[in-house]
Amino acid sequence: MKFLPFAFCLLILALGSACKKPEPPVPVVHVKPVEVVPYEDGYLAGYAMGQKEAKPRDQPPAPESVEPMAHEEGAKDPNRDPKWERGFVAGYMAGFREKALGLK
């Protein structure tokens, strides 16, 4: 007789756990990875050119004045796209500022 309440409790626990609703699966979203290689390549090229052309205490040029230079450099290779040119402008400005203002 002592076994009957214990068995009854086990039966209720087993049935209770089996009745739980399964959680919905986490949705998997397949997204194409963002390609940043052209931007990084342009940034490095612009940074090197900005470092080369800057002189101490020069005022950095406006980004609009660097864009034609980026377009010119980008035209040298057909694989260079607008991302590369944006990276070039950002890199040029960073390299120029760093050398001209003595930030590093």
Side-chain angles (χ1 to χ4, degrees):
M1 269 333 236
K2 290 183 181 181
F3 181 70
L4 189 59
F6 180 71
F8 187 66
C9 287
L10 284 178
L11 180 64
I12 294 214
L13 285 174
L15 290 175
S17 64
C19 292
K20 286 184 183 176
K21 288 184 179 179
E23 292 184 19
V26 178
V28 177
V29 180
H30 299 286
V31 178
K32 184 178 175 184
V34 177
E35 188 176 323
V36 294
V37 174
Y39 183 87
E40 290 175 0
D41 290 344
Y43 186 91
L44 294 174
Y47 184 85
M49 186 171 282
Q51 286 274 316
K52 186 176 77 173
E53 292 185 359
K55 294 180 178 57
R57 291 185 237 162
D58 273 354
Q59 287 296 319
E64 295 81 27
S65 65
V66 180
E67 287 174 3
M69 185 187 321
H71 189 67
E72 220 174 86
E73 290 293 319
K76 292 179 182 177
D77 185 356
N79 294 326
R80 294 177 178 167
D81 57 359
K83 289 180 188 176
W84 187 93
E85 292 178 14
R86 284 194 301 272
F88 183 91
V89 171
Y92 185 90
M93 297 301 294
F96 196 98
R97 258 190 236 110
E98 192 173 284
K99 187 169 181 184
L101 302 176
L103 297 176
K104 195 170 189 183

